[in-house]
Amino acid sequence: MSDSASPSASVSLSEPTDVPAVLNRAGIDYVSVHDQRLLAIYHTGIFNVTTEPDPVSNTHTLEIECWEAPLPSRGDERSPQELLEDFAAVFERGDKP
């Protein structure tokens, strides 16, 4: 799935954040893997989100990695790195559109 060329990002949040709640408010589908990890689907890409040592329900930091690049779309020319940055911004905004 993942390789060394996969885009990744670290996100530091100013306050404890409930990651699943932010994703729900933003309308982003995800699957919980365990207390410190989930997989999110954003614009057909699959993003691995880890929050060690904190649980996903109360964390200050996120590690996000693009596991599967989004499918090409005629109307969207963004690279996997740009989509990763857009996805990370969801947490920085706290889900505001």
Side-chain angles (χ1 to χ4, degrees), residues 28-29 39-48 65-71 83 87:
I28 297 172
D29 292 328
L39 299 174
I41 301 168
Y42 183 71
H43 289 275
T44 73
I46 300 173
F47 294 88
N48 181 45
E65 180 182 13
C66 181
W67 265 24
E68 182 84 23
L71 298 172
L83 284 171
F87 178 66

Side-chain angles (χ1 to χ4, degrees), residues 14-31:
S14 59
E15 59 186 42
T17 300
D18 183 339
V19 174
V22 170
L23 293 174
N24 284 332
R25 287 190 300 264
I28 297 172
D29 292 328
Y30 67 92
V31 175

Side-chain angles (χ1 to χ4, degrees), residues 6-17:
S6 296
S8 62
S10 294
V11 178
S12 294
L13 305 165
S14 59
E15 59 186 42
T17 300

Side-chain angles (χ1 to χ4, degrees), residues 36-92:
Q36 298 167 328
R37 179 175 170 215
L38 59 82
L39 299 174
I41 301 168
Y42 183 71
H43 289 275
T44 73
I46 300 173
F47 294 88
N48 181 45
V49 180
T50 56
T51 60
E52 291 180 25
D54 300 320
V56 294
S57 61
N58 187 27
T59 190
H60 280 87
T61 59
L62 305 170
E63 294 295 325
I64 304 170
E65 180 182 13
C66 181
W67 265 24
E68 182 84 23
L71 298 172
S73 169
R74 288 182 236 180
D76 192 351
E77 307 250 343
R78 293 179 286 176
S79 70
Q81 180 65 43
E82 290 169 316
L83 284 171
L84 175 87
E85 291 166 5
D86 289 348
F87 178 66
V90 168
F91 300 101
E92 295 164 353

